[in-house]
Every structure is written in C-alpha cells, then in structure tokens.
Amino acid sequence: MVPRLMTAFSGPLLEIERRFLDAMPEIERWLRGQWQEHTPPFYGSVDLRNAGFKLAPVDMNLFPGGFNNLDATFLPLCVQAAMAAIDRICPDARRLLLIPEKHTRNLFYLQNVAQLAAILRLTGLDVRLGSWSPEIDRPTPVALPDGSSLLLEPLLRSRSRLGLEGFDPCAILLNNDLSAGIPPILQNLDGQFVLPPLHAGWALRRKSNHFAAYDEVAGDFARLVGIDPWRINPYFSVCSSVNFHERQGEDCLAANVDAVLGLIREKYQQYGIEETPYVVVKADAGTYGMGVMTVKDAAQVTGLNRRQRNKMSVIKEGLAVSQVIIQEGVHSYERVGSGSDEGVAEPVVYMIDRFVVGGFYRVHSGRGKDENLNAPGMHFEPLAFETSCSLPDHCQNPDAAPNRFYVYGVVARLAQLAASLELERTAPIEEQVACA
C-alpha cells in the first residue's frame, strides 16, 4: 500500500526529490566516503516527517524496537546488512548475547526481539537472550502470539566477562536503551564488544547532541545537492535546569520557544508557506513518546496546569525531566489507511550498519498533522513500503513510490551518519577490546 500525500503540498517536495534523483551518483559516492571515515551504529531507526515543503528527521532511536513491523520481504536485506556489520566488528564471532528490555510482558515488544534474534541467527551466529530482570532467575520460556516462544536466561558475570551459564559470547547486542542507568553488570567488560556502546543509552545520551551533529551533516549534504538545508533539517534549541513541578526554567522555555518560532516564521514567509508554525518541547533524553508537548505560542509553556506539569515531569522508568529540547515541529501531510483506520502517518526507516533495511508507517487516527503520533492509539502499517528505500526508478516521476522512499532512505542515512558523529564526540576514553 502506497501512502497518500496531499497533492496541494507536493510541489516543493517534488523539487527536492528531483534534486536527489539527479544527484544520486554524487550522493552515494559522498555517503560511501563518509562511511570510510565514520563507523555507523550497529542499528537504528529514524522517525521522519513529510510536510510536503519539508522532509526532516525528528527522532533517532539507537535501540530500535519494531523489527516485527517490517515486511517479511525485507528479511534478506536485514540479514545481509547484519552480516556486513558483524564482519566489520568481529569477523570471527560465533556467539552473540542479545539483551532486551526488562518489560517481558509486552508481547508486541517481544515479537520484535524474536525477529531480531532470527535475523542474527541467519548470519550464522549462535544467539541467546539474557536479562538482568529480577523476574528472570532461571531459564524462562515466554510464549508469543504466533505460537513460537523465547527463552530468557539470567545474566552471569564472571570477572570481566558477561554471558549465560555455559555461554561466553564475543559480542553483546543491547536492545535495552538503558533509560534507568547503566547497571554494574555491564560495566568494565574486557574483551567483549558491546553494541551499541554504553554511552549510546539514555542514561548518558542527549537528543540535542544528535541534532547538533545532524545540523552539520545536513549542511554539508545540502551544499552537495544544492538545496536549502532547512528543507531537511529542523531548528532546535535546549533548556537546562528545568523542573516542571517547581515551575523552574519557565522563562528559559518561553524565550527559546519564541526564538525557534521566530526562525520558522521567517522560513515560512520566505517560501510562502501559510501553515501555523509550531515547536515540540520534549525531554532531551528518553523515548516512548513521553514528556512531549506541542506549542504554538510561548505563552503556552508558562503557568502550566498540574496535569500538564505531571505529563512533562517524568519519562520512561519514572525518571525526572531536567533538560528539554525545543524542536521545530514538522507537519505530516501523509495519510495512510481507510475508514476508521485512516490517520496521519509518519515514515519510520530502519537501518542496520550503513544500510537501509526497510520501513513502515506509524499511523494515528486520533492525532492531527501537527501532533505527536508516538502515543497510545497509534498503529503500524508494515506493508506501506513497497520498496526497500534503496533503489530509485529514474523512469518514473519523482513522487513515484520507489523514488519517494529512496529520498526517505537518504535522509534516514544522514541521521545515521549524524549518530556516528554523535557517538564519536560523546565517547569516553576508549578501551581496547578484542574478540574472544
């Protein structure tokens, strides 16, 4: 199923798509050169927003949890990309320990874990699942809706190595974003690759660091293809020392919201865009769509009521919000589905290593084009992408499905490249690790 983009807003985006198609050889050559200089994260997913006049990433997840939402036709791409990543990191790897999130009762999430484990096993690895959850004190089978099951086992720490009983892995793949902090059992390991690195977790990571790196990447790329970088890049700013319960930091919030809205208004005026500018205020660390609010006027962030303050005060694992990013809101004019299932949609592109391996649409029938779609009531359309985002078709129009999805894939790879820079710049002193 191909998404429906409102044609009234397709003109400017068609121009961008045409630029991407015309510059395809230069784009792929430039990206190839970037990957020679920078190591991509093991995997990632990017939330994009398509406003018709602008296409930009609004979030970058380094611990993607929706592999079960990818269409089965993407499986070969996933396996090939995983093989390339493993060959680069540890060519002799035979055993891999996969550590998922602790919420073992979320069957939708566990179906993602099962699919991820299946992909990794198809690369030739012996894959087992470990957990530090107190609930997992012995090998524990978990039944899945499709009739299959997962076996979760308690982690065992032996001096400076981590594994399971009778299982000593070369590599450890985290599908746990470390929102609650880095547990001691993962610290100071010797001779084992931890993927992604520990500082990629939300205990240390900040969205503002990612978008600062993306701003640099988008600027370089825009010069390459001859476009205004704003067409693929959201404005943002940051407020620290925020405490919503105590109303601390409201002046900083109001000033930054007003400043970002002012920049957006200038661009809208420059391009004759009649939409209402808005920003999204969200926790600078964290995921799951928590701690997020849409703002169209600076006055909206002062004098928040108790319900609004409670909503913005905590994120996953009940952690308090102390720093927020004020990000330009990007309207989404794509709609997917029919009848009661029709809703505003945003593409989510999945990558392993430097390769796009598929995507799907996050859809919400109860939200508007200027609202956060990562909220209760959303659903996914796993069949929305008819192509892999890797192969454009120059014989078709720029907005034909393979060409639009190619553009999505390029912008997603820019975000993946920005994540590479982000992790390089925020890394602690490197420790020498080698394959066991």
Side-chain angles (χ1 to χ4, degrees):
M1 177 175 63
V2 178
R4 293 191 286 111
L5 176 66
M6 292 185 179
T7 56
F9 298 94
S10 62
L13 188 61
L14 283 175
E15 175 191 346
I16 297 174
E17 291 169 340
R18 188 173 289 109
R19 291 286 186 97
F20 278 39
L21 292 175
D22 291 343
M24 178 189 164
E26 290 80 7
I27 290 172
E28 297 303 327
R29 184 164 55 248
W30 182 81
L31 283 169
R32 190 168 65 249
Q34 294 298 312
W35 295 130
Q36 291 173 356
E37 298 180 15
H38 306 287
T39 301
F42 183 84
Y43 54 10
S45 66
V46 183
D47 295 351
L48 302 177
R49 299 279 288 201
N50 183 346
F53 54 83
K54 178 169 187 162
L55 172 67
V58 294
D59 211 354
M60 174 80 209
N61 186 0
L62 296 180
F63 302 84
F67 280 94
N68 56 307
N69 293 318
L70 298 181
D71 186 70
T73 57
F74 296 144
L75 182 59
L77 290 175
C78 293
V79 174
Q80 291 170 4
M83 282 182 175
I86 292 163
D87 285 346
R88 178 175 50 78
I89 297 166
C90 189
D92 298 327
R94 295 184 179 183
R95 295 173 296 277
L96 182 140
L97 175 62
L98 175 58
I99 302 179
E101 294 278 359
K102 294 194 296 182
H103 40 254
T104 55
R105 293 182 177 87
N106 185 335
L107 295 182
F108 291 106
Y109 170 72
L110 290 178
Q111 289 178 87
N112 153 75
V113 175
Q115 182 65 10
L116 183 55
I119 290 168
L120 295 167
R121 288 181 178 123
L122 286 171
T123 68
L125 289 171
D126 181 7
V127 179
R128 287 167 65 176
L129 310 180
S131 174
W132 67 74
S133 171
E135 299 176 1
I136 308 299
D137 57 2
R138 62 178 61 86
T140 305
V142 180
L144 299 180
D146 64 0
S148 63
S149 66
L150 291 176
L151 183 65
L152 296 175
E153 302 179 65
L155 293 171
L156 292 178
R157 179 71 182 252
S158 177
R159 296 183 180 176
S160 60
R161 295 185 69 82
L162 182 64
L164 309 173
E165 185 174 354
F167 187 77
D168 184 22
C170 162
I172 299 165
L173 179 62
L174 298 176
N175 201 241
N176 182 312
D177 63 21
L178 305 179
S179 291
I182 303 172
I185 200 169
L186 287 177
Q187 298 176 21
N188 302 314
L189 296 176
D190 182 26
Q192 291 175 302
F193 290 94
V194 178
L195 308 167
L198 297 179
H199 68 281
W202 287 122
L204 299 175
R205 187 181 180 223
R206 297 295 177 265
K207 296 178 182 180
S208 52
N209 288 332
H210 174 77
F211 282 100
Y214 183 80
D215 184 69
E216 179 181 327
V217 170
D220 291 343
F221 179 82
R223 284 187 288 273
L224 176 73
V225 298
I227 62 171
D228 181 346
W230 176 75
R231 295 286 199 182
I232 57 171
N233 188 16
Y235 290 125
F236 78 95
S237 62
V238 181
C239 276
S240 304
S241 303
V242 173
N243 186 317
F244 285 96
H245 278 310
E246 302 295 330
R247 299 187 184 278
Q248 180 180 333
E250 285 189 347
D251 290 343
C252 175
L253 270 176
N256 279 272
V257 166
D258 193 55
V260 176
L261 285 173
L263 293 173
I264 303 170
R265 290 190 190 101
E266 290 179 7
K267 283 297 183 181
Y268 279 19
Q269 184 175 15
Q270 177 183 343
Y271 289 104
I273 297 166
E274 298 182 357
E275 290 298 328
T276 301
Y278 73 100
V279 299
V280 177
V281 178
K282 52 188 175 182
D284 203 17
T287 183
Y288 285 88
M290 302 176 71
V292 179
M293 67 183 298
T294 298
V295 178
K296 297 180 181 178
D297 188 284
Q300 292 178 259
V301 297
T302 58
L304 296 176
N305 61 39
R306 179 177 295 179
R307 182 171 178 271
Q308 291 170 320
R309 295 201 309 274
N310 288 340
K311 175 186 174 183
M312 293 298 297
S313 293
V314 296
I315 53 174
K316 183 184 173 187
E317 304 283 356
L319 299 179
V321 174
S322 61
Q323 182 166 303
V324 297
I325 180 172
I326 300 96
Q327 186 181 65
E328 174 185 354
V330 182
H331 301 80
S332 184
Y333 284 102
E334 292 184 283
R335 301 186 68 86
V336 170
S338 60
S340 61
D341 288 332
E342 181 181 352
V344 176
E346 61 186 13
V348 183
V349 179
Y350 270 59
M351 289 160 292
I352 297 177
D353 200 71
R354 63 189 186 275
F355 304 103
V356 173
V357 296
F360 52 83
Y361 274 84
R362 178 183 290 116
V363 186
H364 204 303
S365 58
R367 293 292 176 102
K369 63 188 179 183
D370 58 357
E371 294 183 283
N372 173 35
L373 304 186
N374 190 5
M378 67 180 173
H379 68 277
F380 303 102
E381 294 287 349
L383 301 178
F385 282 5
E386 292 186 340
T387 68
S388 68
C389 300
S390 300
L391 298 174
D393 186 347
H394 288 84
C395 295
Q396 297 191 56
N397 292 329
D399 61 344
N403 295 331
R404 176 147 293 165
F405 297 154
Y406 172 72
V407 173
Y408 289 168
V410 170
V411 176
R413 283 184 284 167
L414 297 180
Q416 184 83 330
L417 176 57
S420 302
L421 299 178
E422 171 199 357
L423 293 180
E424 289 172 10
R425 293 169 182 176
T426 58
I429 297 175
E430 286 189 320
E431 297 181 1
Q432 296 296 320
V433 294
C435 291

